[in-house]
């Protein structure tokens, strides 16, 4: 107890800095980010739509099987194609997770409720030795 009293400021600094390190991980998960295992479970058990938001060349080089392809810059103009998935799970994919995060925000803004960003994108998918399809 004496140690805690004598080092209270240092303990407080350690707790705050630890919290600051962990916060980005917690906030991303709260934002609907999923890893490859969770994405596979959504696809296999909840019939989630996979939405690939990469450019045409990237998509043609390899994509998740049965993925719907709409480049991130065209999402808002093509929302009507996704209307029937508004209340269903959607796993959004890009190369690394940045563009798909932007696409998730657009979808949520338009009332889509089950939107999930694939953490690490197609790179993480391939690192996990999960299959990709090519045109």
């Amino acid at each position: 107890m004496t140690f805690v009293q004598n080092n209270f400021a240092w303990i407080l600094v350690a707790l705050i800095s630890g919290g600051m390190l962990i916060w980005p991980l917690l906030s991303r998960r709260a934002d609907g980010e999923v890893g490859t295992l969770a994405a596979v479970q959504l696809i296999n058990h909840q019939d989630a739509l996979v939405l690939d938001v990469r450019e045409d060349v990237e998509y043609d080089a390899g994509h998740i099987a049965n993925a719907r392809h709409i480049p991130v810059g065209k999402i808002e103009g093509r929302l009507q194609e996704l209307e029937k998935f508004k209340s269903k799970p959607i796993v959004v994919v890009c190369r690394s997770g940045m563009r798909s995060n932007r696409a998730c925000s657009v979808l949520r803004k338009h009332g889509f409720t089950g939107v999930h960003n694939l953490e690490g994108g197609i790179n993480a998918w391939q690192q996990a030795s999960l299959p990709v399809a090519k045109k």
Side-chain angles (χ1 to χ4, degrees):
M1 193 62 163
T2 305
F3 175 81
V4 173
Q5 290 173 340
N6 291 338
N7 296 296
F8 182 75
W10 290 113
I11 292 170
L12 188 60
V13 167
L15 289 173
I16 290 171
S17 63
M20 290 171 66
L21 290 171
I22 293 173
W23 180 253
L25 296 173
L26 297 175
S27 65
R28 280 197 305 188
R29 293 287 181 190
D31 245 0
E33 192 166 82
V34 294
T36 55
L37 178 61
V40 168
Q41 290 174 341
L42 284 167
I43 295 164
N44 289 340
H45 300 296
Q46 295 184 30
D47 199 28
L49 168 72
V50 177
L51 177 62
D52 195 316
V53 297
R54 296 177 296 154
E55 296 301 319
D56 296 339
V57 173
E58 294 173 290
Y59 179 82
D60 291 342
H63 55 273
I64 298 172
N66 302 317
R68 182 163 303 202
H69 178 230
I70 303 175
V72 70
K74 298 179 181 178
I75 291 282
E76 292 211 55
R78 294 176 60 183
L79 283 171
Q80 73 281 356
E81 296 176 36
L82 302 172
E83 279 297 316
K84 65 183 176 184
F85 301 101
K86 212 164 194 171
S87 61
K88 293 185 177 184
I90 301 174
V91 176
V92 186
V93 181
C94 70
R95 183 180 51 80
S96 65
M98 300 300 287
R99 288 176 283 177
S100 54
N101 189 40
R102 208 170 350 139
C104 286
S105 296
V106 170
L107 292 171
R108 286 187 194 104
K109 184 176 84 174
H110 287 90
F112 288 80
T113 56
V115 180
H116 305 278
N117 183 22
L118 179 61
E119 180 181 17
I122 196 75
N123 290 342
W125 186 268
Q126 291 174 314
Q127 277 186 322
S129 298
L130 293 166
V132 293
K134 295 184 180 184
K135 274 191 169 178

